Amino acid sequence: MELLQFAYFSRRAGGVIGLDVVDEMLAACRENLREAELQNPWFKADFVDLRKGDALHLPIADASVDVAAQNCLFNIFHDRDLGRALAEMHRVLKPHGRLILSDPVCESPMPEHLKNHERLRALCLTGALPLDNYVRRLTDAGFGTIEVRARRPYRVLSPRHYPTDRMIVIESVEICAIKDPMPADGPCVFTGKAAIYFGDGDYFDDNKGHFLTRNQPLAVCDKTAGALAALGRDDIYLSASTWFYDGGGCC
């Protein structure tokens, strides 16, 4: 279904690459694509280029992809493999290309016996990282801009049904990591913060590329929010993170 959704917007031969390591999954996908071609006049099976491979060794050329996507996959990797998978994604993306991610996160420490529980990890539950850690892994891989586009409740691991002595709340996040150059002062991470200037002038200009029109909200990255707060002004309002960002920011 994800391949069909991408193909709908591309509509050209080889415009979408589908990757899997399991032969049976690739065979099932080819059959579904043939069925989709019969049912959808706009779709041609050759819009999708199916390849066998895994996330640690992508069979894709350097800097050749505009958008990459993964859904509830990276949380199943242990630390070393996650770093390799993110590095591979960064390698194949074009400059300013986007990596769209959806994964669980958990702010409370995950017990080691749950981290190493293969079935629960495969169910997208116990491999969840704290969000700050997750974002740091992306910036360590070289992504200069990170957008947290959504954050919502996902699952609860309770002692009634799971091998834990306390309740563990898991959330789901949607993130866009952009292969922008890394700024000299660190990555731009958008978590849904906004700045509003309400002073006497028509605008406020910090002379660092951030222009605030009076009483108009401007989405700002966490780094810019911190710099504005450090000014100590009494005419700039800074919101908390809303964990929702849809563009139009300060960078």
Side-chain angles (χ1 to χ4, degrees), residues 130-175:
L131 181 57
D132 285 349
N133 189 337
Y134 193 96
V135 169
R136 185 169 62 253
R137 299 308 303 269
L138 292 168
T139 58
D140 286 350
F143 291 95
T145 301
I146 308 295
E147 303 174 350
V148 180
R149 296 185 170 182
R151 183 176 183 176
R152 57 180 65 90
Y154 177 59
R155 297 287 189 274
V156 171
L157 304 184
S158 76
R160 294 183 180 184
H161 304 290
Y162 296 92
T164 174
D165 58 4
R166 58 183 171 82
M167 188 172 76
I168 300 173
V169 177
I170 302 174
E171 298 175 293
S172 174
V173 292
E174 295 175 16
I175 291 178

Side-chain angles (χ1 to χ4, degrees), residues 40-59:
N40 298 275
W42 61 268
F43 178 70
K44 303 297 181 186
D46 68 357
F47 288 175
V48 177
D49 176 2
L50 284 180
R51 303 181 187 181
K52 183 174 182 178
D54 63 56
L56 306 182
H57 309 89
L58 296 176

